[in-house]
Amino acid sequence: MAVAIVQTVRPGTLAAFECSLNIDVNRFDRLVLALKEALGPSSGLTSDDVDVEFLTKLMKDYKSDEREWAKFAMGDASRGYTRNLVDEGNGKSNLLVLVWSPGKGSPIHDHGNAHCLMKILRGDLTETRYAFPEAGEEEKKPMKVISEKVYKENQVAYMADELGVHRVWNRGSDFAVSLHLYTPPNVAKGGCHIFNEETGKKSHIKNCGYYSAYGKKL
């Protein structure tokens, strides 16, 4: 059913993008389309081309509604978390729903020289950031913690390699869910590095695969 939007909206917001649509879709679907539109055509992307502030605004504008994204949120209690592909953003990004098992989390990892935006859709997640081990320090001493912060539902975090490396952890007793935008999709193509917290030693992970894609388990 077509909708008519007559209210005044500010340019550069998710609501403004919605005004360009004449179809009845849920707000999560609108966010996916708005992110794809913001990233533009697939050619010519470098990390420096990304407007992080605008993408962050789009993510913040969306208020989580589990009914809208539940079909992507496939969890597995035997894993620390699952990676569920939502959209590939014209080849310029990967948009994933991650489902975090209670009491579990990710290893310390980098982002392959890409931008990462994380929005909490359900529950709380704890992010611990570490300094990159300096040259010659690997396998010699524990990694240095830069910061630790708890993100709650609807909050958005930004991470990139120039800010360090991080791990994300669900300290709650129920599953938590988050939405992640990676652009460029370097990790999907070339993998990432994980780090040993006690020694700083890094290992390359070639394939960061998906648990599901477009709402279907793989």
Side-chain angles (χ1 to χ4, degrees):
M1 179 179 67
V3 294
I5 303 176
V6 295
Q7 66 197 77
T8 301
V9 295
R10 294 183 297 109
T13 64
L14 182 57
F17 179 83
E18 290 169 7
C19 286
S20 68
L21 302 177
N22 196 38
I23 53 177
D24 186 13
V25 295
N26 69 35
R27 285 182 54 83
F28 185 80
D29 290 340
R30 289 171 179 164
L31 172 61
V32 174
L33 291 171
L35 292 170
K36 183 181 294 188
E37 178 75 13
L39 288 168
S42 61
S43 62
L45 175 71
T46 68
S47 187
D48 292 338
D49 293 333
V50 177
D51 187 341
V52 174
E53 291 185 4
F54 182 64
L55 295 174
T56 301
K57 182 185 294 185
L58 291 175
M59 297 275 270
K60 286 182 175 180
D61 281 351
Y62 174 70
K63 303 305 178 185
S64 180
D65 184 339
E66 187 166 347
R67 297 169 298 179
E68 297 176 341
W69 47 258
K71 67 179 181 180
F72 301 109
M74 298 186 188
D76 185 338
S78 69
R79 305 184 181 206
Y81 63 99
T82 58
R83 291 162 44 89
N84 302 281
L85 179 64
V86 175
D87 188 71
E88 293 183 305
N90 299 325
K92 298 188 73 169
S93 67
N94 288 114
L95 186 64
L96 308 179
V97 166
L98 271 60
V99 180
W100 304 85
S101 298
K104 297 181 181 180
S106 73
I108 302 170
H109 60 279
D110 65 16
H111 292 88
N113 196 33
H115 300 275
C116 172
L117 285 167
M118 176 181 75
K119 180 183 179 70
I120 311 302
L121 297 177
R122 175 184 173 185
D124 300 340
L125 289 173
T126 300
E127 180 202 37
T128 307
R129 295 190 178 187
Y130 301 80
F132 261 108
E134 295 181 8
E137 284 188 348
E138 288 186 20
E139 304 183 51
K140 291 185 177 181
K141 64 181 182 180
M143 296 182 66
K144 179 182 178 182
V145 175
I146 298 174
S147 65
E148 185 167 278
K149 182 176 180 179
V150 177
Y151 289 90
K152 299 183 179 298
E153 186 172 309
N154 285 315
Q155 290 187 308
V156 177
Y158 170 72
M159 188 58 177
D161 287 348
E162 58 263 30
L163 302 177
V165 294
H166 76 170
R167 71 184 303 178
V168 178
W169 198 267
N170 176 15
R171 292 179 174 171
S173 59
D174 196 1
F175 286 93
V177 183
S178 54
L179 179 68
H180 294 243
L181 177 70
Y182 302 99
T183 181
N186 295 342
V187 171
K189 295 178 179 179
C192 68
H193 293 96
I194 61 173
F195 297 79
N196 184 303
E197 184 176 14
E198 298 301 320
T199 66
K201 180 181 179 180
K202 68 178 180 180
S203 304
H204 184 242
I205 304 299
K206 294 181 179 180
N207 183 17
C208 300
Y210 303 127
Y211 188 76
S212 73
Y214 309 108
K216 295 183 179 181
K217 185 177 177 181
L218 300 177

